[in-house]
Amino acid sequence: MNNLLELKGQFDQKKRNSGFGARKLPQKTSVVTAEHLSNLCSQLKAINNYWEEDSILKNCLFSVYYIDIIAKSNRIQTLFSKDVENTNSTIVGAKYSGTDTRKHIITHCVSPVNLEDSITKLEIVIDIINNIFGGEINGEQIEKINKNEIDLPHILSKTKFVGIVVDCFYVEKFTIDTTLDNISNDQIVTIYDTGMDVVELMHKIGIVDFLPVRKFDDTTILLYPDQLKILKKNAPYLVSMSVSDISELTRNDFEFQSKYSPYIPEPNNEPVVGVIDTLFDNSVYFSKWVECCEKFDKTKFDNPDISHGTLVSSIIVDGPSMNKHLEDNCGRFRVRHFAVTPGGQFSSFKILQSIKEIVENNKDIKVWNLSLGSALEINPNFISPEAAILDKIQYENDVIFIVAGTNKTKLFPNSNKIGAPADSINSLVVNSVDEDGKPADYTREGIVLSFFNKPDISYYGGTNKNPLLACNSEGACYVKGTSFAAPWITRKIAYLIYKMGLSREIAKALIIDSAVQWKENEEPSNLVGFGVVPIKIDDIIKSKDDEIKFVMQGVSELYDTYTYKIPVPIYKDKQPYIAKATLCYFPKCNRNQGVDYTNTEMDLHFGRLKNNGKGIDTINDNRQNDDFETNYLKEGKARKYFRKWDNVKHICERFKERGIAKTIFGSGLWGLSIKTVERLSGNDGKGIKFGIVITLKEINGVNRIQEFKQLCSLKAWLVNEINVENRIDLYNKAEQDIIFE
C-alpha cells in the first residue's frame, strides 16, 4: 500500500470580480404585471396597518413567500433598502413551505420608515408599468432599460425601478405568520431577533415572571406552559421555532453476558478523549483510564443510569480487546467522562448549558463523543437547539464532535427521522450497519433541513444476530445501537488528530472519503450516509498501490483560494487517471436563519487546467462561479447536484474496467479552486480553515507515486509522507515527561 501524502505550499488568493452587472429577469419572456405588484402593495399596507396598532415591537415583522427555493442573488435587495446597507441584515428567519414543491419563506424585521418607503416605491413602480408599459413589463424591456434604450420618469432611478421589478418577480406574497404548534409542556423557544432585549420583551407581552436564568442566548429561552399560553395569545408572531425541553434518551437494550476483567496496563501518555453521557461506574476494570466528572447531583434521582455511559467509554478505551473482529490498530485512549444526565427523560436546556461549560473548561480535549440523543424526530425547518450549540462550539473552537445517529425506540416506534443532536451540521454523525454493511433495523434516517447529508457515515453498532461486546460493572454485555457505533469512529478520529497530528478538517475528510467507493456523484444514503468506514486505520491513511492519495489544507481569506500547479503523471502523452476529492470545513451557523442555516459556502472546483488559461475542467462538470462562463443554475439544482451550502463536498469520477486515459490540456497541470461565498453581510467565511483529500487512481493499475512526488517537488510543493511508525514515535517522544536534574 502507498502512504498518505501531505502537500504543503502556498495557495493563491484573489477577490471576486466586482459586481454582477445590472439586475434582470431570468428570461426575456419573463413577465411582471402591475396587478401582481398591486396585490403585493396591498399586502404590505395591511402589514403596516397591523404594526401601527400593535405596540409591542419597535420594528415590523413579516414573511416573504417566494415562488421557489431562492438564491441569495434573487432575494429582495431593493425594496427594503431604505435605512440599511444590505437587505440581508433584515432577514431574521427562513423556512420552507409545507407543500410537496418546496419554496422559501423568509422573515424580515424592518423599521416602520423602511416599510412605508417600500410601499411608496412600489406604488411608483406600479404607476410606471401601467402608464408606460401597458400594465406589464417583460425581461426584454428590462434589458433595454439597463442599456438606456427606454427612458423612465426621474421620480425613481432606473436601478431602483429594475431592482424592485426583479425583487417582486420572485415573490408570491407578503404576510405575518402567527401559526404555532400545539403546546403541551416546557418548551425551548427561539424568537425572532427584533433588536429588543429578550427579558424586556417577555415582560412587555405579559410574561412578568420570566427570569434571565431561563435565557440561553439573545433569542433562545425556556418557557413554562402557562408562559407559552401568554406568548401564543399576545405575540404568536414572535416565535421562530420551538421544541420540547423534555427529551427521551434513545438506547437499545443490552444484556449481561459474563463477568469480564481482563488485563489492562496502567495508563501512560495516551491521548484523552472527551465523553458526554450518563454516569460512569468506577468499579469497572478500566476505571484508571477514565476520569469522571459529574455535572448533576445523582443522589436526587432513583436508579440513575450508570450503564450507558460506562459502555460507551469501554469501547473508546478498550473496544478491540472485547471485539477482535473490529481490531482497528488505533491502540487505547484515556477518557474524561462528563455525566450530564441521569438517563431516561432529561432537560435539553440544562444539557445545552452543561456542554457549553464543559468544552470551555477543557480546552486540551480536541475530540468529543456524544452518544446521547432524543427519541423525538427533528423538525424539517430548523436545527435543534442541541445541534446548534454543538455547531457553534465547533466553529469557535478547534474541536470535533462525533455524534450517534439515534435509534428507534419502543416509546416512539414510528420515529424514523433522526433525533437531536444528530442534526448537527459540523459534527461527524454516525449511523449503524450490520456485518454486511446494511442499515441496522433500529437505524433512523436523515436528511436534515430537507438538504444536508446526515448521517455522514456508518459503522458497526451491533445487531440482534451479531451484537457488540462492551463493559459495565456487571461485566461484558451484548449491546447494539448507534451509541456503540459512534465510539469506534471517535477512536479513529482521535488517532488521526492526536497520534498522526492531522487537523480536524483533514481527519473528518479522511473518514468520509474512506467510506466512499469509486461511484460517480452517487447521492449519499439517508440511512448510511457516504458509506461504511473501513475497520483498519491503515485503510484510511493509506491507499492501494495504484492510487495516489494526498491531503491539502488552507485558509480562505478572499473569494477564491486556488492553486494551478498540481502535477499528474503522464504516460504516452496521456494522463491515465480518474480522481475523487472530499472537502470539509466548519462554518459559522445561524439557527435563527432556519433552513438557510450555514453562513458560508465553499464551492469546490478540481480538475485539469483548460487550454488558454480559462479555468478548471472540473471532474464533476461544476460551472458555478465560473470566471469564464455565465451559467444560470436554479438554487434548488445547485444544492442537489453540487451540494451548495453543505460543509462536506465529495466529487468523484466513475471507475470503469476499460477506462480511457485523459487528454493532456496545455502543460498537463491540474488545478484546485475553493470559492467562498457569504450568505449574510458579515465576513463569516474569512479565516475559515478547510481540509481536502484527493485520490488519483491509475486506470491500468500502475503505481506512479514516486513520479508524482518528484513532480510535486519540481512545482515547489513540500511533500510529506505520512508514515505511521514515524508519526507514532514522534507522538510518544513529544508526550514523554522530562525530568531536569
mmCIF file of all heavy atoms in Angstrom, residues 656-675:
data_model
loop_
_atom_site.group_PDB
_atom_site.id
_atom_site.type_symbol
_atom_site.label_atom_id
_atom_site.label_comp_id
_atom_site.label_asym_id
_atom_site.label_seq_id
_atom_site.Cartn_x
_atom_site.Cartn_y
_atom_site.Cartn_z
ATOM 1 N N LYS A 656 -14.127 2.645 -14.478
ATOM 2 C CA LYS A 656 -14.582 1.692 -15.475
ATOM 3 C C LYS A 656 -13.464 0.706 -15.774
ATOM 4 O O LYS A 656 -12.282 1.066 -15.781
ATOM 5 C CB LYS A 656 -15.005 2.426 -16.756
ATOM 6 C CG LYS A 656 -16.151 3.410 -16.554
ATOM 7 C CD LYS A 656 -16.472 4.161 -17.834
ATOM 8 C CE LYS A 656 -17.603 5.169 -17.605
ATOM 9 N NZ LYS A 656 -17.905 5.951 -18.835
ATOM 10 N N GLU A 657 -13.838 -0.553 -16.007
ATOM 11 C CA GLU A 657 -12.833 -1.592 -16.261
ATOM 12 C C GLU A 657 -11.965 -1.235 -17.462
ATOM 13 O O GLU A 657 -10.772 -1.508 -17.484
ATOM 14 C CB GLU A 657 -13.528 -2.940 -16.483
ATOM 15 C CG GLU A 657 -14.196 -3.504 -15.235
ATOM 16 C CD GLU A 657 -13.198 -3.810 -14.131
ATOM 17 O OE1 GLU A 657 -12.039 -4.134 -14.445
ATOM 18 O OE2 GLU A 657 -13.574 -3.716 -12.947
ATOM 19 N N ARG A 658 -12.567 -0.652 -18.477
ATOM 20 C CA ARG A 658 -11.816 -0.242 -19.661
ATOM 21 C C ARG A 658 -11.800 1.284 -19.736
ATOM 22 O O ARG A 658 -12.392 1.883 -20.624
ATOM 23 C CB ARG A 658 -12.431 -0.835 -20.922
ATOM 24 C CG ARG A 658 -12.342 -2.365 -20.972
ATOM 25 C CD ARG A 658 -12.898 -2.898 -22.281
ATOM 26 N NE ARG A 658 -12.794 -4.349 -22.344
ATOM 27 C CZ ARG A 658 -13.200 -5.091 -23.384
ATOM 28 N NH1 ARG A 658 -13.730 -4.483 -24.437
ATOM 29 N NH2 ARG A 658 -13.074 -6.402 -23.364
ATOM 30 N N GLY A 659 -11.120 1.874 -18.784
ATOM 31 C CA GLY A 659 -11.065 3.320 -18.714
ATOM 32 C C GLY A 659 -10.213 3.908 -19.820
ATOM 33 O O GLY A 659 -9.311 3.259 -20.360
ATOM 34 N N ILE A 660 -10.506 5.148 -20.170
ATOM 35 C CA ILE A 660 -9.760 5.850 -21.211
ATOM 36 C C ILE A 660 -8.926 6.935 -20.552
ATOM 37 O O ILE A 660 -9.435 7.737 -19.762
ATOM 38 C CB ILE A 660 -10.721 6.464 -22.246
ATOM 39 C CG1 ILE A 660 -11.554 5.355 -22.910
ATOM 40 C CG2 ILE A 660 -9.945 7.252 -23.297
ATOM 41 C CD1 ILE A 660 -12.607 5.883 -23.846
ATOM 42 N N ALA A 661 -7.637 6.951 -20.881
ATOM 43 C CA ALA A 661 -6.742 7.960 -20.315
ATOM 44 C C ALA A 661 -7.161 9.351 -20.782
ATOM 45 O O ALA A 661 -7.719 9.531 -21.870
ATOM 46 C CB ALA A 661 -5.304 7.667 -20.719
ATOM 47 N N LYS A 662 -6.881 10.349 -19.961
ATOM 48 C CA LYS A 662 -7.301 11.718 -20.250
ATOM 49 C C LYS A 662 -6.336 12.412 -21.216
ATOM 50 O O LYS A 662 -5.115 12.247 -21.134
ATOM 51 C CB LYS A 662 -7.389 12.519 -18.948
ATOM 52 C CG LYS A 662 -8.555 12.127 -18.058
ATOM 53 C CD LYS A 662 -8.570 12.977 -16.799
ATOM 54 C CE LYS A 662 -9.851 12.777 -16.000
ATOM 55 N NZ LYS A 662 -10.015 11.397 -15.519
ATOM 56 N N THR A 663 -6.913 13.229 -22.073
ATOM 57 C CA THR A 663 -6.114 14.077 -22.958
ATOM 58 C C THR A 663 -5.429 15.158 -22.121
ATOM 59 O O THR A 663 -6.014 15.716 -21.190
ATOM 60 C CB THR A 663 -7.015 14.737 -24.015
ATOM 61 O OG1 THR A 663 -7.655 13.713 -24.774
ATOM 62 C CG2 THR A 663 -6.207 15.629 -24.940
ATOM 63 N N ILE A 664 -4.211 15.451 -22.466
ATOM 64 C CA ILE A 664 -3.470 16.478 -21.735
ATOM 65 C C ILE A 664 -3.869 17.852 -22.250
ATOM 66 O O ILE A 664 -3.869 18.106 -23.458
ATOM 67 C CB ILE A 664 -1.950 16.281 -21.904
ATOM 68 C CG1 ILE A 664 -1.530 14.946 -21.286
ATOM 69 C CG2 ILE A 664 -1.182 17.428 -21.269
ATOM 70 C CD1 ILE A 664 -0.087 14.597 -21.548
ATOM 71 N N PHE A 665 -4.230 18.735 -21.328
ATOM 72 C CA PHE A 665 -4.511 20.116 -21.677
ATOM 73 C C PHE A 665 -3.277 20.955 -21.371
ATOM 74 O O PHE A 665 -2.804 20.993 -20.228
ATOM 75 C CB PHE A 665 -5.696 20.662 -20.877
ATOM 76 C CG PHE A 665 -7.026 20.054 -21.237
ATOM 77 C CD1 PHE A 665 -8.131 20.233 -20.415
ATOM 78 C CD2 PHE A 665 -7.191 19.326 -22.400
ATOM 79 C CE1 PHE A 665 -9.367 19.693 -20.741
ATOM 80 C CE2 PHE A 665 -8.414 18.777 -22.737
ATOM 81 C CZ PHE A 665 -9.503 18.959 -21.909
ATOM 82 N N GLY A 666 -2.746 21.636 -22.362
ATOM 83 C CA GLY A 666 -1.636 22.554 -22.128
ATOM 84 C C GLY A 666 -0.448 21.899 -21.455
ATOM 85 O O GLY A 666 0.122 20.930 -21.946
ATOM 86 N N SER A 667 -0.098 22.411 -20.282
ATOM 87 C CA SER A 667 1.069 21.925 -19.539
ATOM 88 C C SER A 667 0.824 20.598 -18.844
ATOM 89 O O SER A 667 1.750 19.989 -18.320
ATOM 90 C CB SER A 667 1.483 22.969 -18.497
ATOM 91 O OG SER A 667 0.443 23.134 -17.542
ATOM 92 N N GLY A 668 -0.427 20.147 -18.789
ATOM 93 C CA GLY A 668 -0.737 18.901 -18.091
ATOM 94 C C GLY A 668 -0.985 19.084 -16.609
ATOM 95 O O GLY A 668 -1.238 18.110 -15.895
ATOM 96 N N LEU A 669 -0.945 20.318 -16.129
ATOM 97 C CA LEU A 669 -1.188 20.573 -14.713
ATOM 98 C C LEU A 669 -2.684 20.548 -14.405
ATOM 99 O O LEU A 669 -3.522 20.799 -15.266
ATOM 100 C CB LEU A 669 -0.606 21.924 -14.303
ATOM 101 C CG LEU A 669 0.924 22.032 -14.320
ATOM 102 C CD1 LEU A 669 1.346 23.468 -14.071
ATOM 103 C CD2 LEU A 669 1.545 21.099 -13.288
ATOM 104 N N TRP A 670 -2.984 20.245 -13.153
ATOM 105 C CA TRP A 670 -4.364 20.283 -12.664
ATOM 106 C C TRP A 670 -4.496 21.447 -11.687
ATOM 107 O O TRP A 670 -3.505 21.948 -11.139
ATOM 108 C CB TRP A 670 -4.738 18.968 -11.966
ATOM 109 C CG TRP A 670 -4.916 17.804 -12.912
ATOM 110 C CD1 TRP A 670 -4.163 17.532 -14.022
ATOM 111 C CD2 TRP A 670 -5.897 16.767 -12.822
ATOM 112 N NE1 TRP A 670 -4.604 16.389 -14.636
ATOM 113 C CE2 TRP A 670 -5.679 15.890 -13.918
ATOM 114 C CE3 TRP A 670 -6.921 16.487 -11.943
ATOM 115 C CZ2 TRP A 670 -6.458 14.761 -14.139
ATOM 116 C CZ3 TRP A 670 -7.702 15.359 -12.152
ATOM 117 C CH2 TRP A 670 -7.476 14.508 -13.246
ATOM 118 N N GLY A 671 -5.740 21.856 -11.467
ATOM 119 C CA GLY A 671 -5.978 22.982 -10.570
ATOM 120 C C GLY A 671 -6.998 22.657 -9.492
ATOM 121 O O GLY A 671 -7.850 21.774 -9.653
ATOM 122 N N LEU A 672 -6.888 23.379 -8.401
ATOM 123 C CA LEU A 672 -7.837 23.297 -7.293
ATOM 124 C C LEU A 672 -8.262 24.714 -6.942
ATOM 125 O O LEU A 672 -7.416 25.590 -6.723
ATOM 126 C CB LEU A 672 -7.187 22.627 -6.081
ATOM 127 C CG LEU A 672 -7.981 22.660 -4.766
ATOM 128 C CD1 LEU A 672 -9.231 21.809 -4.880
ATOM 129 C CD2 LEU A 672 -7.118 22.169 -3.603
ATOM 130 N N SER A 673 -9.564 24.945 -6.906
ATOM 131 C CA SER A 673 -10.086 26.271 -6.568
ATOM 132 C C SER A 673 -11.229 26.114 -5.579
ATOM 133 O O SER A 673 -12.144 25.324 -5.801
ATOM 134 C CB SER A 673 -10.581 26.989 -7.837
ATOM 135 O OG SER A 673 -11.273 28.179 -7.505
ATOM 136 N N ILE A 674 -11.149 26.851 -4.485
ATOM 137 C CA ILE A 674 -12.213 26.850 -3.486
ATOM 138 C C ILE A 674 -12.740 28.274 -3.376
ATOM 139 O O ILE A 674 -12.028 29.186 -2.937
ATOM 140 C CB ILE A 674 -11.695 26.336 -2.133
ATOM 141 C CG1 ILE A 674 -11.270 24.869 -2.280
ATOM 142 C CG2 ILE A 674 -12.751 26.479 -1.051
ATOM 143 C CD1 ILE A 674 -10.615 24.278 -1.074
ATOM 144 N N LYS A 675 -13.982 28.456 -3.809
ATOM 145 C CA LYS A 675 -14.568 29.785 -3.879
ATOM 146 C C LYS A 675 -15.558 29.974 -2.731
ATOM 147 O O LYS A 675 -16.501 29.211 -2.586
ATOM 148 C CB LYS A 675 -15.240 29.980 -5.237
ATOM 149 C CG LYS A 675 -14.200 29.929 -6.362
ATOM 150 C CD LYS A 675 -14.768 30.080 -7.737
ATOM 151 C CE LYS A 675 -13.633 30.037 -8.757
ATOM 152 N NZ LYS A 675 -14.105 30.138 -10.152
#
